Amino acid sequence: YYGINRLEPIKVMVIQKIFNELHNLDNIIVTGSFLEKGFQFNDIDVVLIDDKKIDVKKTEEHLSKTLGLRAHIIALNYKVLLKGLETDPLYQAMMGRYVTKKKLILRYKNKVNYKLLDLHLLKSKPLIENFDYLTGSQKYEITRNLVAIYLFLNNRKISNESINSEIKELLKENPTDIKLNMINKTAFLKGYKKLYGKLFNKIMEGVKNGPK
């Protein structure tokens, strides 16, 4: 376990079932909202580590049928995982908490790719434009994405705890209230737009001054 204090026994059983079903791979990592306290998750995020090519769709269908729960799979090798962690705040957020079949050693240093960050920042814009049409869970995930970029650009650790802490600090909102859609629209959007604008300017400056 990494970044987890406790899991419900039924989740431990589900994870063990996943490990047993996919026993022929180098390593298996379970991450995402499935590991949060309670049962408010939409699917199970599974990262498969192996050098051989994996049929993701077929494996997702197999796991979903076996578990009775929807599975979302990412398949890559160890080198690609490390490269993703070096350059991508969303990879770091994903690996801020996980259960792994085998011990996992992750050593990397941040390498800022402003063009990649620009693409990720675009994913946070819909909250500004479509606030009233998004669910609480969608608002939280988009906000989480924005704050992960902020932490990455400030070379700080990205984890569920650090993201939620910064949501409280920067946006003055409780993450749980965002998930429940119980936030003041005017106050929240004011802080959100301010943070978005700062990150946009910083990333655009980086893109402008970076390699062509």
Side-chain angles (χ1 to χ4, degrees):
Y1 289 17
Y2 179 82
I4 303 169
N5 293 324
R6 181 184 175 278
L7 273 181
E8 293 87 346
I10 191 170
K11 290 184 179 179
V12 176
M13 291 172 62
V14 169
I15 291 171
Q16 190 59 57
K17 181 69 173 175
I18 292 171
F19 291 168
N20 290 340
E21 289 293 318
L22 306 175
H23 60 86
N24 60 331
L25 301 175
D26 286 346
N27 209 346
I28 305 165
I29 305 165
V30 177
T31 183
S33 59
F34 179 74
L35 302 179
E36 294 180 7
K37 184 178 180 181
F39 296 88
Q40 303 300 315
F41 58 89
N42 296 317
D43 53 22
I44 303 176
D45 295 307
V46 184
V47 182
L48 305 181
I49 308 295
D50 205 281
D51 286 327
K52 65 174 175 284
K53 184 175 177 60
I54 297 171
D55 189 329
V56 170
K57 185 176 180 180
K58 184 177 179 180
T59 307
E60 282 182 340
E61 290 174 349
H62 172 71
L63 276 186
S64 297
K65 184 177 180 180
T66 302
L67 302 173
L69 298 166
R70 189 170 68 178
H72 173 243
I73 289 177
I74 298 174
L76 36 71
N77 60 41
Y78 185 69
K79 288 183 179 179
V80 172
L81 175 61
L82 285 180
K83 185 176 181 180
L85 289 168
E86 288 177 345
T87 60
D88 196 327
L90 301 191
Y91 265 75
Q92 292 187 18
M94 175 181 72
M95 296 301 293
R97 172 179 53 200
Y98 59 81
V99 177
T100 180
K101 184 175 182 180
K102 300 177 184 176
K103 186 175 181 179
L104 192 63
I105 299 174
L106 300 172
R107 295 193 181 99
Y108 60 90
K109 291 183 180 180
N110 286 358
K111 295 180 181 178
V112 179
N113 180 334
Y114 286 103
K115 291 182 179 179
L116 176 63
L117 294 179
D118 182 33
L119 291 174
H120 282 325
L121 190 64
L122 282 174
K123 297 175 184 177
S124 291
K125 196 172 184 181
L127 190 146
I128 298 172
E129 301 170 338
N130 303 296
F131 184 90
D132 293 328
Y133 304 101
L134 297 171
T135 66
S137 295
Q138 289 170 328
K139 288 171 184 170
Y140 173 74
E141 287 303 318
I142 295 173
T143 302
R144 191 171 183 268
N145 175 67
L146 185 70
V147 172
I149 296 170
Y150 168 82
L151 290 169
F152 184 83
L153 283 171
N154 286 277
N155 201 31
R156 290 169 56 187
K157 181 181 178 181
I158 300 176
S159 67
N160 295 289
E161 290 71 23
S162 64
I163 289 173
N164 287 336
S165 177
E166 286 304 317
I167 288 175
K168 292 178 182 178
E169 179 69 24
L170 297 170
L171 302 175
K172 312 301 180 186
E173 287 289 351
N174 189 307
T176 301
D177 291 339
I178 299 175
K179 293 177 185 178
L180 295 174
N181 226 355
M182 297 174 60
I183 54 177
N184 183 293
K185 176 182 176 180
T186 302
F188 179 79
L189 281 181
K190 182 179 179 181
Y192 189 94
K193 288 177 180 177
K194 183 179 179 181
L195 178 59
Y196 185 95
K198 285 183 176 179
L199 293 177
F200 178 81
N201 291 337
K202 188 169 185 177
I203 290 171
M204 286 300 99
E205 183 181 353
V207 171
K208 180 180 178 181
N209 298 325
K212 305 299 181 182

